[in-house]
Amino acid sequence: MEVTLVLRPGVPLPTVEQLCAVPPSRPLTHEEFEAKYGTAKKDLSAVERFAKAFRLRVLSVQRDRGFVRLEGSPAAIRKAFGVDLKRYQQGKLSFLFHTKRLVLPRSLRDIVEWVFGLDTRPRVTHSSASLPVPVEPPEQSGLRSYPAPQVARLYRYPPTQGAGQCVGIIELTGGYRTSDLTEYLSWMGVTREAPVNVGPNKPGPSVSSNAEVTMDVELVSAVCPQARVVVYNAGSKDYSLGDYHRVFAMAISDRTNRPSVLTSSWSFYEGSLIQAEEEAAFERLFKEAALLGITVCAASGDLGSQVPVQGGSPTDAITLAAPSYPAASALVLGCGGTTLQADGDRIVHEHVWNRLGEAMSMGALGFTVSAGASSGGVSTMNALPAYQRGMPVPVQVHTTWKDGVFQRVSRTPGRGVPDVAANADLHTGYQIVFKGQQGVAAGTSAAAPMWAALVTLINEGLGARVGFLNPRLYALVGQGEPVVNRITQGGNGAYFASEGAVWNACTGLGTPDGEALLAGLLKLQGREA
């Protein structure tokens, strides 16, 4: 079996707080990043001695990222890390898990930040709200759909085409059919080069995963016809955090394609299943992305205020308005969802997407799911960033009772999710082609690639990478620049939009006005020069 050790950087990276307060003024190249932050040779030597002592083989070393992949027998792995490693079965999924906390030898305790591969539980997911439905519903249903280029026009995306830019799409598993993409682009009237696949592109038995990949690729390809589109796929068999971390690292460290924008519709819920060290390993990657000038967009989730978390109840399950990660990272642009009603290229009305009171029967797939809502809330693991201070971000309230007696109440500030939004309601969804059929798909899984496409077009207009967008975006809104369409109606079950609030925990600052955002960023660019 294999494990991946994440080693400390040669020089401490800036903290999240520092990056949020003073975002990088100039992106580093990959070569500059490795020269400054690459793992020290003495740390790599210590890992090599450890591997030799426990009869583990070194498979690969990535100095810029501080990754060392080791291979050994299960018995050797158990002994090396002091874990009671066992294999479990959950339906068709097989995974590894241990109940004893891993213990590193003293020689590695200050060097190794985390170890992936000892816990492969299926913890990464995406919403089934992205599953496609037929493009022509019965007239009486009231459903409608939009081509992605029309939604881009409604949000006034710049007239740039993405020339000279590269946008990366993060996928955990599944794949798209080339024939579907070809038919879709012909339907949209778009001519472009084929995407580049890094990792396997193999449509698998999971219809929802294949639909997710297909939607992501088709939306970005249609809106950015001259940009290079790269699909990074982990080809995961167990939906583990290790695979999700690996595919993000693959994209951020890609020195061949060098994407300036990444989008991910996959996520995991913050809560008792996630350890602080695991999120810290992802935060390490997003710090690197910020320093390299890579904008990371992520879906906020499609369950509104009904996110399942462990609660210690008799059924060990409760639902909360818990945010999803990586949208909960202060270094990531969290993308929520709206219901969009338009007439031609004019927005008639837009409000928070919320259909929690409705059920969707997925027909031949044999299951029924909630029709979804824009997820949002307050992170319990990530602090309120500097750029959100002054925004109406609520606090986390936790009351403690014992034997029916009130003990205390705590109020903790945290990172507010999402930052922005875009059309995400399946009732007003995006036209796609899936399995040879014209259909409609949606969810915040669509909002994230639509925002990634916008940033790609903006990068061409700026002639530079906007990189870590959040501080600049909030600054422009704070200065009164009309860079977003504020959403003032609706809610997701726990939080609500209102006329008086600049930000809300359903749709963030609002949906984009692309041309105004480009103009605002050009102003900032002139001031920062």
Side-chain angles (χ1 to χ4, degrees):
M1 59 174 289
E2 293 182 15
V3 294
T4 299
L5 278 58
V6 181
L7 312 187
R8 65 184 177 186
V11 173
L13 290 161
T15 65
V16 173
E17 293 74 19
Q18 290 170 335
L19 289 169
C20 290
V22 184
S25 58
R26 180 188 73 83
L28 298 177
T29 65
H30 289 278
E31 294 74 18
E32 289 172 331
F33 180 88
E34 180 174 359
K36 185 171 183 178
Y37 297 108
T39 301
K41 292 182 179 179
K42 61 183 179 62
D43 289 351
L44 293 174
S45 297
V47 173
E48 290 171 357
R49 290 193 296 271
F50 161 78
K52 185 176 181 180
F54 286 95
R55 298 184 178 180
L56 305 176
R57 292 176 293 280
V58 177
L59 295 179
S60 65
V61 174
Q62 232 180 319
R63 180 175 173 268
D64 60 339
R65 182 126 304 95
F67 284 4
V68 179
R69 287 173 55 234
L70 302 177
E71 180 185 64
S73 69
I77 295 289
R78 290 189 190 98
K79 186 176 180 180
F81 297 103
V83 292
D84 54 339
L85 197 64
K86 295 181 181 179
R87 182 165 292 280
Y88 297 84
Q89 197 76 26
Q90 181 177 317
K92 295 181 180 180
L93 289 175
S94 175
F95 60 88
L96 296 168
F97 184 56
H98 56 92
T99 56
K100 290 183 180 179
R101 191 172 179 85
L102 72 91
V103 178
L104 292 167
R106 185 172 299 174
S107 61
L108 295 186
R109 285 177 192 171
D110 294 330
I111 296 174
V112 177
E113 296 181 341
W114 190 245
V115 180
F116 284 106
L118 301 174
D119 178 359
T120 63
R121 286 175 294 169
R123 289 183 283 171
V124 184
T125 185
H126 66 87
S127 177
S128 54
S130 63
L131 286 166
V133 297
V135 73
E136 296 181 359
E139 291 184 8
Q140 66 271 22
S141 68
L143 306 186
R144 68 164 303 170
S145 61
Y146 304 99
Q150 181 186 358
V151 176
R153 291 193 298 272
L154 289 167
Y155 290 144
R156 295 198 338 125
Y157 280 25
T160 50
Q161 301 286 298
Q165 306 300 312
C166 177
V167 54
I169 302 174
I170 302 293
E171 303 293 359
L172 189 68
T173 189
Y176 67 94
R177 294 182 179 182
T178 302
S179 57
D180 283 345
L181 179 59
T182 300
E183 182 181 340
Y184 170 78
L185 293 174
S186 175
W187 184 22
M188 295 294 111
V190 172
T191 301
R192 60 159 301 118
E193 293 181 354
V196 176
N197 296 310
V198 178
N201 174 42
K202 297 180 180 179
S206 171
V207 175
S208 62
S209 295
N210 297 333
E212 177 65 69
V213 179
T214 300
M215 177 180 68
D216 293 344
V217 173
E218 290 184 353
L219 297 189
V220 173
S221 296
V223 178
C224 304
Q226 291 183 24
R228 170 176 287 195
V229 175
V230 182
V231 185
Y232 300 92
N233 199 318
S236 178
K237 294 180 173 59
D238 49 27
Y239 297 82
S240 67
L241 286 185
D243 285 340
Y244 196 38
H245 186 271
R246 175 171 56 83
V247 72
F248 259 116
M250 183 193 307
I252 293 169
S253 64
D254 184 354
R255 299 193 189 195
T256 300
N257 299 292
R258 299 180 184 244
S260 62
V261 186
L262 296 176
T263 177
S264 175
S265 299
W266 300 77
S267 62
F268 54 89
Y269 306 126
E270 282 198 342
S272 56
L273 287 178
I274 306 302
Q275 298 183 58
E277 296 94 333
E278 290 172 320
E279 267 207 14
F282 281 89
E283 290 291 274
R284 162 95 172 262
L285 289 178
F286 299 140
K287 289 178 186 179
E288 181 180 345
L291 291 168
L292 293 172
I294 299 173
T295 309
V296 182
C297 305
S300 72
D302 295 2
L303 298 179
S305 58
Q306 297 182 355
V307 175
V309 299
Q310 284 191 328
S313 64
T315 59
D316 205 33
I318 60 172
T319 58
L320 293 172
S324 294
Y325 193 92
S329 170
L331 301 172
V332 170
L333 187 72
C335 304
T338 64
T339 297
L340 177 68
Q341 296 175 0
D343 181 8
D345 286 343
R346 181 178 67 88
I347 296 176
V348 175
H349 181 68
E350 195 168 16
H351 59 266
V352 176
W353 166 44
N354 185 349
R355 296 189 183 275
L356 291 177
E358 303 176 22
M360 293 192 302
S361 175
M362 303 315 292
L365 298 178
F367 59 83
T368 299
V369 297
S370 166
S374 179
S375 289
V378 182
S379 173
T380 58
M381 302 180 75
N382 298 279
L384 181 74
Y387 57 77
Q388 283 191 324
R389 290 173 192 157
M391 293 288 163
V393 179
V395 296
Q396 278 281 357
V397 179
H398 187 87
T399 55
T400 303
W401 299 74
K402 185 177 181 181
D403 299 327
V405 178
F406 171 77
Q407 300 290 305
R408 65 186 179 92
V409 60
S410 62
R411 291 179 172 84
T412 309
R415 148 79 161 145
V417 185
D419 299 296
V420 291
N423 181 43
D425 189 344
L426 194 61
H427 289 223
T428 61
Y430 299 82
Q431 295 170 359
I432 69 167
V433 172
F434 180 64
K435 297 177 70 174
Q437 301 294 317
Q438 294 181 354
V440 181
T444 59
S445 294
M450 288 299 291
W451 264 93
L454 170 59
V455 176
T456 303
L457 301 181
I458 284 175
N459 282 349
E460 181 188 352
L462 289 173
R465 296 178 172 214
V466 68
F468 181 28
L469 175 62
N470 299 26
R472 296 177 175 92
L473 175 64
Y474 280 83
L476 288 169
V477 171
Q479 294 165 14
E481 296 286 349
V483 297
V484 291
N485 309 305
R486 284 184 51 221
I487 306 301
T488 60
Q489 296 180 15
N492 63 9
Y495 302 102
F496 298 87
S498 68
E499 190 69 43
V502 177
W503 178 95
N504 64 67
C506 312
T507 54
L509 298 169
T511 57
D513 183 323
E515 291 191 26
L517 181 54
L518 173 57
L521 290 169
L522 282 168
K523 284 183 185 178
L524 289 181
Q525 189 181 63
R527 293 175 200 159
E528 294 170 357

